[in-house]
Amino acid sequence: MTNETLTVTDNRTGKTYEIPIENETIPAAALRKIKVDPDDFGLMTYDPGYGNTASCKSAITYIDGDKGILRYRGYPIEQLAEQSTFLEVAYLLIHGELPSKDELERWENDVMHHTFVHENLARMVEAFRYDAHPMSILISALSIMSSMHADAKDVQNAAARKKQVLRILGKLPTVAAFAYRHRIGRPYNYPNSDLSYTGNFLYMLDYMKQTHYEVNPVLAKALDVLFILHADHEQNCSTAVMRNIGSAMADPYVAMSGAAAALSGPLHGGANEAVVKMLGVIGDEKHVPSYIERVKKGDFRLMGFGHRVYKNYDPRARIVKQIAYDVFKVTGTDPLLDIALKLEEVALQDEYFVSRKLYPNVDFYSGIIYRAMRFPTDMFTVLFALGRAPGWLAQWLELITDEEQRIARPRQVYLGAEERAYVPLGER
Ligand code: CMC
């Protein structure tokens, strides 16, 4: 006899119900049998922002927010950041296991052979205004790609799914680089598949027909590690969007276009951009205490601080802080770093932040690194999207092959007007 159950007494009726517990969750549908009378819809849970609702079973990413743990497929983020590469991590997330030497070589070749985009896509980027936000271009490019790869609609076909994964991972940096070159009014550089994934991306961004152009290995490595740190984060806002759109059996391009749109919000992937803007507004270390006071008064939030899941320390933030120092050895230091360090020091000693368990998150330092690498601020979220792409894809693949999944369709608590008769315009 198992005691993995929950006994609930409905005080409205005095009736008692036994609800099964599996994996430390109760099936929400089991609450539906709790009714006052037989015509009732039954009990639901109310959970705005899904703070305590598991929407899927997943074997991809594990987070223990209280202990500051993040693992992809069981591997600690610290080990992956130190010893792996972004493409290897992408393979791990998507396939579930680390690749053998041959598998990795084939995977890298496959991805790098899908880096060219259709010329129509290049022309589409040109059609944007000179000052278009590169996230708008990325979001649009993904939906245009849906129209270019008709086989993507066949989401039940494993071979077609695999093809789109390679195309998306291969082409996304090219679109991002084109968006950047468009922004600064320079001709596009076409992909060079002799380079590494991040090396090729930096090349497409920076190459200006120099005779002896070389990608800086420290910067390429730093970007690679930043991509690893962003590669997946279980059911965050954009991933939930990817899964929600995917649950309607829409193709992965439009699903990812929606995910990227969610990521562009300042409370999500847009936070690194917001951090740099905030540090610019603070302007000097000496203004930090007064800025913190205004945050505490509720005038605005401290960007790059706080996380829905991490209530100890974001383990990614620790690694990012170290990368910042590596990058600064190449690029020179950034005065914003001193303001950031001061802000962190003051906040971590302040009762307001301590009691609410608000610590720097991954975006607190990543923006400063991107700035030191001379990325314009509005490219930051695009970089986050490139890093997150394998996670979105892995989650989408898991969803498509999960027989328990159905089209996403949340419930609501209706508190609006009761039925009333339409009043003609002249009588209102
Ligand atoms: N600055 C000041 N106060 C804050 C902050 C902050 N950054 N974050 C949370 N709080 C306060 C909030 O006002 C509330 O206080 P009280 O209980 O007195 O009302 C309490 O802390 C709990 O906040 P919450 O809004 O319930 O927390 P949440 O889990 O819903 O929000 C968050 C998480 C990340 C949206 C939020 O911390 C935030 O807005 N941070 C700033 C934006 C940011 O850095 N986002 C990047 C997140 S990491 C990258 C990613 O995963 O996308």
Side-chain angles (χ1 to χ4, degrees), residues 87 94 107 109-118 121 141-142 144-154 159-175 191 197 251-253 256 386 389 393 396:
L87 274 192
I94 287 163
W107 170 249
N109 275 330
D110 286 349
V111 172
M112 295 309 289
H113 276 91
H114 284 86
T115 47
F116 271 74
V117 296
H118 195 290
L121 195 56
L142 278 160
I144 299 245
M145 280 157 79
S146 157
S147 74
M148 288 171 166
H149 305 293
D151 57 335
K153 302 264 178 273
D154 196 1
R161 289 198 298 266
K162 190 175 166 196
K163 187 81 179 165
Q164 313 321 318
V165 165
L166 294 173
R167 282 180 175 144
I168 290 175
L169 290 179
K171 293 178 201 312
L172 224 48
T174 312
V175 172
Y197 191 78
D251 74 59
Y253 298 100
M256 196 180 277
L386 296 188
L393 289 168
W396 169 71

Side-chain angles (χ1 to χ4, degrees), residues 36-347:
V36 174
D37 66 61
D39 294 340
D40 272 4
F41 181 78
L43 219 56
M44 290 189 291
T45 57
Y46 175 61
D47 188 10
Y50 311 115
N52 197 38
T53 298
S55 63
C56 62
K57 293 175 182 162
S58 182
I60 302 171
T61 291
Y62 174 77
I63 299 176
D64 184 329
D66 291 330
K67 298 198 181 107
I69 291 173
L70 169 63
R71 297 182 199 131
Y72 299 157
R73 302 282 189 187
Y75 296 100
I77 191 67
E78 293 80 2
Q79 292 181 23
L80 294 170
E82 199 179 319
Q83 300 175 52
S84 188
T85 62
F86 175 63
L87 274 192
E88 185 181 59
V89 166
Y91 184 100
L92 171 69
L93 287 168
I94 287 163
H95 295 88
E97 294 297 333
L98 284 169
S100 68
K101 198 165 172 292
D102 285 351
E103 284 167 337
L104 181 60
E105 226 171 82
R106 208 172 319 126
W107 170 249
E108 288 172 343
N109 275 330
D110 286 349
V111 172
M112 295 309 289
H113 276 91
H114 284 86
T115 47
F116 271 74
V117 296
H118 195 290
E119 273 303 295
N120 282 353
L121 195 56
R123 283 198 284 276
M124 188 279 291
V125 176
E126 265 167 37
F128 275 82
R129 265 175 61 134
Y130 70 96
D131 61 350
H133 198 293
M135 269 313 268
S136 302
I137 299 181
L138 192 84
I139 292 163
S140 310
L142 278 160
S143 47
I144 299 245
M145 280 157 79
S146 157
S147 74
M148 288 171 166
H149 305 293
D151 57 335
K153 302 264 178 273
D154 196 1
V155 294
Q156 301 295 357
N157 178 329
R161 289 198 298 266
K162 190 175 166 196
K163 187 81 179 165
Q164 313 321 318
V165 165
L166 294 173
R167 282 180 175 144
I168 290 175
L169 290 179
K171 293 178 201 312
L172 224 48
T174 312
V175 172
F178 283 10
Y180 168 75
R181 298 284 288 198
H182 175 70
R183 181 93 161 86
I184 59 171
R186 299 213 171 128
Y188 305 151
N189 289 317
Y190 284 81
N192 179 347
S193 11
D194 292 338
L195 298 171
S196 69
Y197 191 78
T198 34
N200 169 55
F201 179 51
L202 288 177
Y203 159 84
M204 288 190 290
L205 293 172
D206 290 337
Y207 179 58
M208 289 297 290
K209 304 275 182 285
Q210 300 94 322
T211 329
H212 298 297
Y213 177 84
E214 266 182 41
V215 176
N216 185 303
V218 176
L219 300 187
K221 174 70 188 161
L223 200 55
D224 206 73
V225 176
L226 284 165
F227 282 177
I228 292 175
L229 299 182
H230 285 90
D232 195 49
H233 215 233
E234 50 119 305
Q235 308 313 312
N236 56 85
C237 177
S238 55
T239 301
V241 171
M242 180 92 195
R243 278 180 173 265
N244 269 14
I245 300 178
S247 76
M249 298 297 136
D251 74 59
Y253 298 100
V254 290
M256 196 180 277
S257 181
L263 188 76
S264 70
L267 296 189
H268 192 8
N272 49 18
E273 193 176 329
V275 169
V276 167
K277 284 188 184 142
M278 173 188 77
L279 295 173
V281 168
I282 296 174
D284 194 291
E285 274 182 67
K286 66 174 189 278
H287 300 138
V288 165
S290 57
Y291 194 85
I292 295 268
E293 283 314 309
R294 293 193 61 193
V295 170
K296 285 160 58 179
K297 262 177 40 204
D299 287 356
F300 34 68
R301 289 194 165 197
L302 195 54
M303 298 314 286
F305 259 69
H307 200 277
R308 171 65 59 83
V309 180
Y310 296 119
K311 301 298 176 195
N312 169 316
Y313 199 91
D314 182 342
R316 303 168 299 173
R318 207 172 265 139
I319 304 167
V320 173
K321 200 169 168 182
Q322 181 50 47
I323 302 172
Y325 290 108
D326 298 342
V327 167
F328 291 150
K329 280 187 202 138
V330 177
T331 61
T333 55
D334 185 327
L336 290 194
L337 179 69
D338 297 328
I339 302 175
L341 288 169
K342 184 72 184 168
L343 206 55
E344 183 180 355
E345 183 197 314
V346 174

Side-chain angles (χ1 to χ4, degrees), residues 330-407:
V330 177
T331 61
T333 55
D334 185 327
L336 290 194
L337 179 69
D338 297 328
I339 302 175
L341 288 169
K342 184 72 184 168
L343 206 55
E344 183 180 355
E345 183 197 314
V346 174
L348 293 186
Q349 287 169 11
D350 192 297
E351 206 276 328
Y352 176 95
F353 296 90
V354 175
S355 63
R356 290 171 178 77
K357 300 186 174 175
L358 299 171
Y359 297 89
N361 58 49
V362 67
D363 286 325
F364 191 65
Y365 284 104
S366 64
I368 306 175
I369 300 177
Y370 295 147
R371 199 176 108 106
M373 290 173 78
R374 311 280 182 271
F375 281 108
T377 322
D378 57 12
M379 274 297 283
F380 294 0
T381 314
V382 173
L383 301 172
F384 193 154
L386 296 188
R388 182 56 54 88
W392 285 333
L393 289 168
Q395 299 274 351
W396 169 71
L397 290 168
E398 189 173 64
L399 162 99
I400 295 287
T401 50
D402 180 348
E403 287 178 358
E404 284 184 8
Q405 286 296 327
R406 300 190 296 158
I407 187 166

